Each structure stands twice: as C-alpha cells, then as structure tokens.
Amino acid sequence: MDASAELVVDALLGMHAAFEDLRVDDQAVAYELIAWTNKIKGTVLAVDVPTGLDASTGNVSVLDGQPLLVRPMLVLAMGAPKTGLLNALIAGDGQSWQVMVADLGISNTAWRKYGTRRRHGVEFGSDWVVGLRYQGGVE
C-alpha cells in the first residue's frame, strides 16, 4: 500500500474489541493496517482510543514481544476521555498525542447519575470539540 495519505482515521477495532479477540486471519489484516498507518507521513486521528490500546485499562496489545499500537497525532474522545486513555497518559504513553473531546450531548442529569466522582462532565461551553491537556500530579 502507498503510505502517502494526508489523513487516516483510526477506528479499526472500537472500544470493546481487542486485537487478541480477533480470528487469526483478521489479526493479520489488522496488523498490516496498523503497520501501514504507523508508516504514513500524514495525520493520524484515533477515535476514542488508538487501536491496540485497551479502552478500560490503558494496556497496549503485544505481538511477538513488541507493542502493537497505532501511533496517532490526535485522539478524539467521544463524550469524555475513556479510562484507558487516561491511564495511558498517566503511565507516560501518548505524550505526543493531542487529546480532544467531542460533545455528544450527554446531559448534566446523566453526568450526575453515571458520571465521574466529581459528578460533572466535560465543560464544552459553545464548542463542539474541546482540547484537553493532561497535568500529572494535579488534583
């Protein structure tokens, strides 16, 4: 494949699918797509979490002792950053990622009932997408 795309949107596996859960032939295809994506000179935008990163834990898939992970420039979390994305940032992974969150219209009532311990979600104001910056050690 020619590796000259200007933009690649990484939404290969989704939040609840892991590389290890794929059938062997599907793993081969996913591996080739991940390798191709990591070779391009254009921008890579991952939706929710980069392929190869567990959305719940932040663990990276490993194949033959090597990390198997799309290396994006941008990560667009839908609604709120996923726990695995935050865990990866805390662990020092993804230091080059520009993380943004897209407003999906989650109501304040839902955030209070199902949200974080702080009982509120992302403050979007009038924007559809806001940038986030991880500050380690700040409460």
Side-chain angles (χ1 to χ4, degrees):
M1 278 190 228
D2 181 19
S4 63
E6 289 183 35
L7 173 67
V8 172
V9 176
D10 167 33
L12 185 61
L13 296 181
M15 276 188 23
H16 301 290
F19 180 81
E20 296 80 9
D21 297 334
L22 299 175
R23 295 185 319 238
V24 173
D25 55 335
D26 292 334
Q27 283 184 352
V29 171
Y31 176 82
E32 291 298 322
L33 288 169
I34 291 168
W36 177 82
T37 300
N38 287 337
K39 289 179 187 174
I40 72 157
K41 294 173 179 47
T43 300
V44 177
L45 175 127
V47 177
D48 270 327
V49 295
T51 293
L53 184 74
D54 184 292
S56 297
T57 65
N59 295 336
V60 174
S61 294
V62 175
L63 180 67
D64 296 330
Q66 298 295 318
L68 183 66
L69 179 72
V70 167
R71 293 186 304 269
M73 293 85 178
L74 309 167
V75 178
L76 180 61
M78 307 307 280
K82 308 309 174 264
T83 302
L85 180 66
L86 296 175
N87 287 343
L89 293 170
I90 290 167
D93 298 326
Q95 294 177 356
S96 64
W97 301 341
Q98 180 181 349
V99 179
M100 299 164 293
V101 180
D103 184 359
L104 298 180
I106 300 171
S107 70
N108 287 333
T109 302
W111 279 114
R112 282 191 298 277
K113 187 170 183 178
Y114 303 106
T116 65
R117 284 184 235 156
R118 295 177 62 200
R119 300 285 188 208
H120 63 81
V122 176
E123 296 295 330
F124 288 98
S126 62
D127 297 321
W128 285 88
V129 175
V130 295
L132 298 180
R133 183 170 42 102
Y134 173 71
Q135 294 177 311
V138 175
E139 293 288 321

